[in-house]
Amino acid sequence: MLTSLVINEREYLFKEEFDVNLTLDYENDSWVEWHILREFISNALDSVGGDKDRISIQSTVDAITISDDGEGYGIVLAKRIGASSKKTDSESIGQFGEGTKMALLTCLRLGLDVTLGSQNWLIQPFEKELECQRVLFYRVYETAVPAQGSFVQLQTTDKLRSIIEQLGHYFLPYSTVTPLWQSDTGSVYPRCKQEHLGRVYNKGVFIKEVEALFDYGVSMEKLNRDRDLMDTSELADQVGSLLRHTDQEEIIKAIIGVAAMEEEVWRPLIEFKPYLYTTQSEKWAAAFHSLFGQKAVLSTNELASLEAQVLGYQPLKLQSQIHRILKDAGVPEDVEKLREDYKIQWVSPGELTHQEKELLKQAKECAAAIHWECDGEIRVFSHYHDSDDITGLYLPETRTIGIKRSQLEKGLSATLGTLLHELAHLHSGADDYSRDFATAINEKLASTLLQLMRNNGVPAKANIEEMNLVLPSSLSITAQDLQCHLIVTGADLIVKTSQHRLRFPLLQEMEPVILKRRIRLSSEGFCVSLTDELAAAFGGQQEHNQSILCHQLE
């Protein structure tokens, strides 16, 4: 036995041997190397409020040294069974005060030298045989120069070094993994292992593995003394609290994806143990459709699902809680689609005649010409159960437009009219009797007419008087504009002024020509003289009051 020790350049003098009143057989099958490091590193984290930057962990070939710059603790806490400075601190990792003694007992069982010190004291545990029992004793040393914080020096092993090298795997403060979701109650991390085993950390320290989709950081008070068991119901409740508030797509998709699998896959997982609901309904609905597509619906029974499949939907049977969450989020069930679609007797594309297909194609092309297109399906139906008077339908859930077959029989005008009506529903999102629907129709009609006028002009009248072409009175011509160009292209004559363009049909095609002419004022209005050939092409005086197009250029 040494009467003095020098550690960290500080001299410690032997004071006493102390009987801890624990035998080495006490709980001799539960603690191993991991528990030793967990206890000492947890104590260090607690002493500095979880700030890992105030802790030093050094590993050499021979020893591991763990030190902190906290306030330390008195020798009485190391001596007494059950004594602890953390019993009233809910943020502390340890609570029982017995952990340090158990760690020192485990060191002795494994034959590891260990030194523990804080403030003005230092202890080295050793075993002594008393009454045929191996008993834990401390050699207690004291120093005249108190140290800042606490420290542990531990003889190392390959197993201990391996744990130190993977410290982030056991202590969240040392992890480099970014949480997928974090709140005041805990955090969700990507699963470290590929199997269905997630790691649970309590107050940042690894506790156990459970069957889970993710790793979890929680904060629970009720643990066993060895801190490797926890109440499954309380753990499930904390996991459920995290999941009900998360808006993280990866988490939501993973849960929905597994919920669509066989019961034997999802039943053991901790995510499906608590009562689940969500405050992020839109995120769950979006994740569902992102996984399975817009045609995916919730399956309620086998018959309804088979019928829904015939209608082109993808029914999915999900775990009951996830089914309820998604239904509440607005995801439809298969029976809803049956109620909707069974009102309509659809005509399959193969049943349409060639003429009907051509009419439908022409109607789509006309709608596209005015930039009104359907991003869903355009289908033909023969009967709508609610009313025989319905000639068109718009189904907003699938963005499908239906045109009654009788409209195709009436021709392009009726077919196109029905299509445009339903497209107004699609683009406005409004029903027949709303102002938004009427506004959508009016605005599209106005924009289409304006475009037509820009391209083709508006109807007007012009007269042929002898060899002169009398222009419409609607022209506005100033003194500076008393000239025009006559342009012949094929069977058309174009009269172009600075502000107007007039197109006249000719009786025959002529060679292309451009002529410059003055505009004169006559008793009938403005007129332009024609060449003999042009006058003949007009048919002379027999073509009075001929209909032309007058267009005021922008």
Side-chain angles (χ1 to χ4, degrees):
M1 180 188 70
L2 299 176
T3 58
S4 66
L5 295 172
V6 176
I7 295 180
N8 297 332
E9 301 180 349
R10 186 175 281 105
E11 184 179 28
Y12 292 83
L13 300 178
F14 176 76
K15 180 180 180 183
E16 64 175 333
E17 290 185 350
F18 179 79
D19 182 359
V20 186
N21 200 28
L22 284 176
T23 69
L24 266 66
D25 294 325
Y26 180 72
E27 298 287 342
N28 64 354
D29 61 348
S30 57
W31 282 49
V32 292
E33 285 97 333
W34 151 242
H35 295 89
I36 298 171
L37 281 180
R38 185 197 66 189
E39 187 62 34
F40 292 147
I41 295 177
S42 295
N43 285 343
L45 286 168
D46 284 340
S47 68
V48 293
D51 185 357
K52 68 180 180 64
D53 294 330
R54 296 176 60 189
I55 297 174
S56 171
I57 301 176
Q58 298 178 348
S59 179
T60 66
V61 175
D62 300 318
I64 295 172
T65 302
I66 304 165
S67 59
D68 65 77
D69 63 359
E71 295 180 0
Y73 56 100
I75 184 68
V76 66
L77 299 179
K79 288 181 175 181
R80 293 178 182 170
I81 299 296
S84 173
S85 63
K86 302 180 284 186
K87 284 187 175 181
T88 60
D89 185 358
S90 62
E91 297 300 318
S92 294
I93 299 165
Q95 294 287 308
F96 296 95
E98 193 177 357
T100 299
K101 291 83 172 176
M102 291 293 297
L104 296 175
L105 275 174
T106 305
C107 288
L108 290 182
R109 292 188 194 118
L110 299 177
L112 303 176
D113 294 333
V114 61
T115 299
L116 184 69
S118 183
Q119 295 181 349
N120 67 333
W121 59 268
L122 177 151
I123 61 174
Q124 290 182 329
F126 69 100
E127 65 174 274
K128 181 182 287 189
E129 188 166 329
L130 293 177
E131 299 177 352
C132 299
Q133 290 186 315
R134 299 161 67 199
V135 179
L136 172 64
F137 273 70
Y138 293 158
R139 291 191 182 96
V140 181
Y141 295 81
E142 291 185 348
T143 180
V145 184
Q148 176 69 37
S150 308
F151 71 92
V152 176
Q153 287 184 347
L154 174 65
Q155 180 183 343
T156 192
T157 65
D158 290 341
K159 179 63 176 177
L160 290 171
R161 276 193 295 271
S162 174
I163 295 172
I164 292 296
E165 289 169 0
Q166 303 178 72
L167 208 56
H169 199 54
Y170 297 91
F171 295 87
L172 287 181
Y174 292 93
S175 175
T176 59
V177 179
T178 302
L180 297 171
W181 171 255
Q182 202 164 16
S183 71
D184 294 336
T185 60
S187 49
V188 184
Y189 291 83
R191 195 171 56 200
C192 292
K193 295 189 174 182
Q194 296 300 317
E195 304 84 24
H196 288 296
L197 289 177
R199 296 173 69 83
V200 178
Y201 299 81
N202 190 55
K203 300 178 182 177
V205 178
F206 171 68
I207 301 299
K208 62 184 294 187
E209 291 181 335
V210 297
E211 292 191 76
L213 295 173
F214 303 96
D215 292 349
Y216 292 95
V218 298
S219 182
M220 297 174 59
E221 303 300 331
K222 296 180 181 179
L223 300 181
N224 64 329
R225 184 210 57 197
D226 294 336
R227 284 181 283 165
D228 55 8
L229 295 175
M230 55 179 57
D231 184 273
T232 302
S233 296
E234 185 180 355
L235 173 60
D237 288 341
Q238 291 214 16
V239 169
S241 177
L242 288 169
L243 298 182
R244 71 177 57 108
H245 296 296
T246 184
D247 62 357
Q248 216 285 329
E249 185 181 35
E250 182 178 342
I251 297 175
I252 298 172
K253 278 187 173 182
I255 294 171
I256 294 175
V258 171
M261 297 181 183
E262 298 295 328
E263 182 177 351
E264 62 186 24
V265 177
W266 56 257
R267 179 168 289 281
L269 301 176
I270 192 68
E271 289 86 355
F272 295 90
K273 301 294 183 186
Y275 175 79
L276 286 178
Y277 64 92
T278 181
T279 60
Q280 304 290 332
S281 295
E282 291 183 3
K283 297 286 186 180
W284 282 73
F288 175 81
H289 288 302
S290 176
L291 280 171
F292 303 113
Q294 294 302 314
K295 283 286 190 178
V297 295
L298 302 174
S299 172
T300 58
N301 62 77
E302 185 175 356
L303 179 59
S305 292
L306 288 173
E307 297 292 346
Q309 281 182 304
V310 173
L311 295 171
Y313 296 100
Q314 182 188 357
L316 292 161
K317 184 177 181 181
L318 302 181
Q319 189 263 358
S320 58
Q321 293 199 91
I322 307 304
H323 181 117
R324 172 181 45 77
I325 288 174
L326 292 170
K327 181 183 178 183
D328 292 343
V331 176
E333 293 180 325
D334 49 15
V335 290
E336 295 176 54
K337 292 302 179 183
L338 297 185
R339 285 195 296 269
E340 176 181 85
D341 279 76
Y342 270 63
K343 295 177 182 179
I344 308 166
Q345 292 182 4
W346 294 107
V347 179
S348 68
E351 294 176 276
L352 295 175
T353 66
H354 176 74
Q355 183 179 3
E356 289 172 330
K357 291 178 181 178
E358 283 300 309
L359 274 173
L360 201 56
K361 178 182 176 183
Q362 291 174 25
K364 292 178 183 178
E365 291 172 347
C366 290
I370 61 170
H371 308 293
W372 254 15
E373 297 175 305
C374 177
D375 55 5
E377 285 188 280
I378 298 176
R379 303 178 64 183
V380 176
F381 66 94
S382 60
H383 182 63
Y384 183 65
H385 288 197
D386 284 357
S387 173
D388 287 331
D389 297 330
I390 297 296
T391 57
L393 295 166
Y394 171 58
L395 307 178
E397 292 83 1
T398 57
R399 297 182 72 81
T400 298
I401 286 176
I403 299 175
K404 196 170 185 179
R405 194 170 194 174
S406 60
Q407 295 299 95
L408 296 177
E409 296 170 0
K410 295 177 182 178
L412 180 58
S413 178
T415 303
L416 179 58
T418 302
L419 176 58
L420 293 177
H421 182 96
E422 302 309 327
L423 283 170
H425 285 304
L426 185 150
H427 289 283
S428 68
D431 59 37
D432 282 338
Y433 304 105
S434 69
R435 181 176 294 275
D436 288 342
F437 178 79
T439 299
I441 290 282
N442 293 339
E443 288 181 349
K444 179 53 68 175
L445 177 60
S447 64
T448 302
L449 285 174
L450 286 173
Q451 185 63 44
L452 183 64
M453 290 169 62
R454 280 194 293 268
N455 293 339
N456 301 313
V458 294
K461 295 287 184 178
N463 295 325
I464 303 296
E465 183 179 314
E466 297 181 351
M467 298 292 289
N468 296 315
L469 175 63
V470 180
L471 303 178
S473 58
S474 59
L475 270 69
S476 57
I477 299 177
T478 64
Q480 295 92 333
D481 297 323
L482 292 176
Q483 61 180 7
C484 68
H485 288 85
L486 301 182
I487 305 168
V488 177
T489 58
D492 286 325
L493 169 65
I494 298 173
V495 179
K496 186 176 183 300
T497 70
S498 61
Q499 298 184 62
H500 303 275
R501 185 179 61 198
L502 302 97
R503 183 185 301 272
F504 297 87
L506 300 176
L507 296 179
Q508 61 189 41
E509 289 195 5
M510 297 181 62
E511 291 293 326
V513 66
I514 299 177
L515 303 172
K516 189 172 184 180
R517 285 287 190 272
R518 290 189 60 81
I519 298 176
R520 305 188 312 278
L521 186 62
S522 71
S523 59
E524 299 292 330
F526 298 108
C527 66
V528 178
S529 62
L530 301 176
T531 65
D532 293 341
E533 288 183 317
L534 282 175
F538 272 109
Q541 296 184 2
Q542 284 72 32
E543 298 298 324
H544 295 314
N545 299 319
Q546 192 168 332
S547 178
I548 64 157
L549 291 174
C550 170
H551 173 58
Q552 183 168 351
L553 300 176
E554 297 178 349

